[in-house]
Amino acid sequence: MSLISDVAKYPRLAWDLRGFLRNTITLEQSKQVLSARLQNREKNFLSLVRKGIYGNPGSPYLKLLKMACCEFEDIENMVNRDGIEAALHKLVAAGVYLSWEEFKGKKDVIRGGNHFSFKEQDFDNPFLSSYYYVQSSGTRSAGTRTQFDLRHRSDISYYYLLALAVGNALDVPMGIWMPILPSLTGISGLLHYWNIGKPVAKWFTPVYENQVQASLRDRLALRYIIYAGRLWGAKLAKPDYVSVVEAIKVAHWVADTKKQFGGCSLTCFPSLMVKVCHAAVGNGLDISGTHFFGGGEPFTEAKCREIEAAGATANPRYWITEIGFIGCSCRGLSDVDDVHLFSDSVATIQRQRKVEHTDISVNAFLFTSLMTSSPKVMLNVESDDYGVMETRSCGCLFEELGFKEHLYNIRSFAKLTGSGMTIIGSDFVRILEEVLPHEYGGAATDYQLLEEEDSQGQTHLCLIISPDVGAVDENEVKDIVLEELRRNTYGGKLAAGFWSQVNTLCVKRMHPKSSSGKIATLHLTKR
Ligand SMILES: [Zn+2]
């Protein structure tokens, strides 16, 4: 989409933005809306399937469903008889599902003797009048073009208010340390918190525009939203650049805010939470009682230990740009990354599958959108994440509203996540199997990428180079990898801009690891 056609949509954006910013959601409304959505989930699902799939001749799902000889009435009957999830399992068995790469149009879909070729935009929700396309790197989902729509933002805001209520963080100022556009995370945080009457008091961005090579469109959109908002009385915070190695500046803001207002909240990626806590403890700053909210990379025990060492609490969120807010934690966690599944807007099932380029089998999540404002139509789409799903009682407000399913031990199986930035595994495979052997010699099997976490809870991507490959300048090899990501990977500019600041990418000279005699290019550490 060109800049011109974007600008043509700005008057509509202006009108809707004004309505969005003038409306403040209350806690009572949030409870009512979410309860109603839970009650109507089957109706909403069937309506999306009828209009978004069967009523949309270009829908890729229509082709898969025809292959499975499945008409709308069949799905309706299955849902009415056995419920959404049982119907989804039957569809998976009939071949109606997509891997993340298939959903992103990176790989053809082969089911039985049928061969389909889909493009990423084929999955756009046809009922959405989007103003703007954003890139989703910076969340768990790597590099997908996603529509930005204020109706969807509104639908998601209800979760934000409940998340603060459940986390006992309604009465303290909120700061965010999230990237600017092209990542959606910062700007959407700014809008959601305004929408629930809890405006962001301070916005730190860990990257600046040149660093992520932000397009003119992104630069204009950011200023447009902030200054147009101010014109209508919404005092939206401007982003202040604080690099990821300057966590002490954020820690000072948190400590000062706590001193002044009796408490503070901060929304950021888990790696950054750890950096803030570390900086606070190391410099004798009191940030105890601070509520950290965020997701975008695995929430591990090591990270939680670091956060607790500063006397702060972590409130994990599970988020995928294409779907929205999938889940949020409460105080009754059974595991460090335990979240309540927001089953009003997303139906989730699991299937056992082997991970490509590795010898590991995982219980992958498959997501189906139930919200008509969802940016993408998703029917049994994997997100490259796996984990545990169970129904459990914890006694919190989420449960009271009917959110009884929990997800935890959530990890990615083909995406690589470092400091909240995500790259799809297959993009890295090309670098490991072609670019590096071409540059330094050796075989494709002499290179491997390992995702690991250090004792301080920071996620690192370790580039393993076999000693069989001759002398290698480690800084040069890092530069080559980052440059390749920047040039040839969608979403890579943001990740490279981010990773180049910290030691996210490190090099180790050792023989590639193998878990069953077979060398995998991407090696997943079993945690
Ligand atoms: Zn709970």
Side-chain angles (χ1 to χ4, degrees):
M1 183 171 293
S2 73
L3 182 63
I4 303 294
S5 59
D6 264 359
V7 170
K9 289 186 173 180
Y10 276 25
R12 256 214 60 201
L13 172 62
W15 183 253
D16 288 4
L17 187 63
R18 199 164 75 138
F20 179 90
L21 294 171
R22 284 186 170 176
N23 178 38
T24 306
I25 288 169
T26 65
L27 191 57
E28 211 39 54
Q29 278 174 332
S30 300
K31 292 181 192 170
Q32 282 169 8
V33 168
L34 297 190
S35 293
R37 287 209 301 237
L38 266 175
Q39 296 241 299
N40 295 321
R41 68 194 295 268
E42 294 184 351
K43 209 174 93 198
N44 292 343
F45 170 66
L46 289 173
S47 154
L48 247 173
V49 170
R50 196 178 63 238
K51 295 186 206 154
I53 298 177
Y54 285 92
N56 174 17
S59 169
Y61 301 110
L62 197 56
K63 298 193 173 81
L64 293 177
L65 288 163
K66 292 273 181 234
M67 169 203 77
C69 302
C70 186
E71 296 301 329
F72 175 72
E73 290 69 30
D74 300 320
I75 296 183
E76 194 175 29
N77 289 337
M78 281 194 282
V79 169
N80 289 336
R81 198 177 54 230
D82 307 314
I84 296 176
E85 282 73 13
L88 293 174
H89 273 292
K90 282 193 179 137
L91 291 176
V92 169
V96 184
Y97 66 91
L98 292 167
S99 73
W100 190 241
E101 293 204 310
E102 290 167 346
F103 175 70
K104 285 164 61 59
K106 292 207 158 208
K107 207 172 162 187
D108 284 351
V109 179
I110 298 164
R111 300 282 181 273
N114 300 286
H115 196 119
F116 307 100
S117 200
F118 301 133
K119 288 196 298 294
E120 190 180 356
Q121 48 269 45
D122 295 342
F123 299 98
D124 286 353
N125 184 348
F127 304 108
L128 226 56
S129 49
S130 80
Y131 323 103
Y132 199 72
Y133 285 88
V134 291
Q135 173 180 311
S136 67
S137 186
T139 71
R140 294 183 84 87
S141 47
T144 293
R145 194 192 64 124
T146 305
Q147 303 179 76
F148 177 78
D149 182 277
L150 285 170
R151 187 162 67 93
H152 185 55
R153 296 286 121 218
S154 283
D155 283 345
I156 284 181
S157 288
Y158 298 105
Y159 298 128
Y160 273 73
L161 196 48
L162 278 166
L164 292 189
V166 167
N168 281 332
L170 277 176
D171 301 322
V172 295
M174 171 66 76
I176 58 177
W177 192 12
M178 304 285 257
I180 45 171
L181 291 167
S183 166
L184 186 61
T185 49
I187 197 79
S188 59
L190 196 72
L191 292 174
H192 286 305
Y193 285 122
W194 179 269
N195 203 200
I196 62 169
K198 297 286 304 166
V200 167
K202 188 81 191 164
W203 179 6
F204 300 105
T205 169
V207 288
Y208 55 89
E209 288 174 332
N210 286 345
Q211 203 172 33
V212 293
Q213 298 174 11
S215 64
L216 177 62
R217 195 151 50 111
D218 291 333
R219 292 169 199 242
L220 286 176
L222 177 69
R223 285 159 183 76
Y224 185 86
I225 290 171
I226 290 174
Y227 292 108
R230 289 182 175 194
L231 209 63
W232 302 315
K235 204 169 178 320
L236 298 175
K238 267 192 310 185
D240 277 343
Y241 171 61
V242 172
S243 83
V244 290
V245 294
E246 297 175 302
I248 183 64
K249 289 187 181 171
V250 182
H252 268 295
W253 179 81
V254 172
D256 291 346
T257 304
K258 185 196 160 172
K259 214 179 273 172
Q260 202 182 339
F261 298 97
C264 185
S265 293
L266 188 74
T267 303
C268 59
F269 300 128
S271 289
L272 298 185
M273 296 176 193
V274 171
K275 283 184 184 297
V276 171
C277 291
H278 224 244
V281 170
N283 290 275
L285 298 174
D286 178 15
I287 62 159
S288 59
T290 298
H291 309 271
F292 285 98
F293 292 89
E297 65 183 314
F299 237 105
T300 57
E301 278 178 23
K303 286 189 175 68
C304 281
R305 266 200 309 276
E306 293 288 325
I307 294 164
E308 281 163 11
T313 54
N315 300 270
R317 287 174 177 172
Y318 184 30
W319 171 277
I320 295 174
T321 303
E322 292 73 13
I323 309 174
F325 206 161
I326 296 171
C328 182
S329 65
C330 70
R331 301 262 58 87
L333 307 179
S334 77
D335 213 277
V336 291
D337 67 341
D338 183 343
V339 294
H340 280 268
L341 172 65
F342 291 147
S343 44
D344 61 316
S345 62
V346 58
T348 310
I349 59 168
Q350 290 185 285
R351 92 178 165 111
Q352 199 69 33
R353 56 106 83 207
K354 203 183 158 301
V355 181
E356 256 182 86
H357 308 294
T358 78
D359 40 23
I360 294 174
S361 188
V362 296
N363 208 6
F365 295 133
L366 293 131
F367 295 108
T368 297
S369 40
L370 305 179
M371 204 145 63
T372 49
S373 68
S374 179
K376 298 275 180 185
V377 177
M378 302 190 106
L379 178 65
N380 279 335
V381 179
E382 287 182 349
S383 65
D384 262 0
D385 289 338
Y386 66 101
V388 182
M389 182 157 81
E390 69 181 25
T391 305
R392 190 160 32 79
S393 177
C394 55
C396 76
L397 180 57
F398 285 132
E399 184 185 331
E400 214 177 284
L401 290 171
F403 297 110
K404 290 178 180 146
E405 283 103 31
H406 291 247
L407 305 181
Y408 63 94
N409 276 344
I410 305 164
R411 297 289 183 267
S412 301
F413 56 83
K415 288 179 299 196
L416 297 156
T417 315
S419 307
M421 296 290 131
T422 308
I423 287 291
I424 194 154
S426 58
D427 281 333
F428 230 109
V429 170
R430 194 185 58 83
I431 298 177
L432 297 172
E433 294 188 342
E434 294 171 31
V435 177
L436 296 178
H438 177 77
E439 197 70 35
Y440 296 106
T445 47
D446 285 328
Y447 301 86
Q448 188 182 54
L449 200 73
L450 198 64
E451 195 183 280
E452 354 177 269
E453 191 177 57
D454 66 22
S455 58
Q456 299 186 338
Q458 293 296 314
T459 315
H460 294 280
L461 296 176
C462 233
L463 177 62
I464 309 286
I465 305 178
S466 163
D468 299 342
V469 177
V472 169
D473 179 336
E474 294 191 1
N475 287 325
E476 186 191 79
V477 75
K478 279 193 240 176
D479 287 345
I480 289 175
V481 169
L482 292 176
E483 189 49 35
E484 273 298 322
L485 284 177
R486 229 176 243 127
R487 278 197 298 137
N488 295 323
T489 314
Y490 196 86
K493 279 180 194 165
L494 197 63
F498 212 85
W499 290 349
S500 59
Q501 291 183 63
V502 265
N503 246 354
T504 300
L505 190 66
C506 61
V507 178
K508 276 190 190 170
R509 297 306 301 264
M510 55 189 270
H511 289 286
K513 293 190 179 189
S514 163
S515 46
S516 66
K518 179 175 161 280
I519 292 169
T521 311
L522 296 168
H523 189 92
L524 292 164
T525 40
K526 282 184 182 163
R527 282 167 278 211

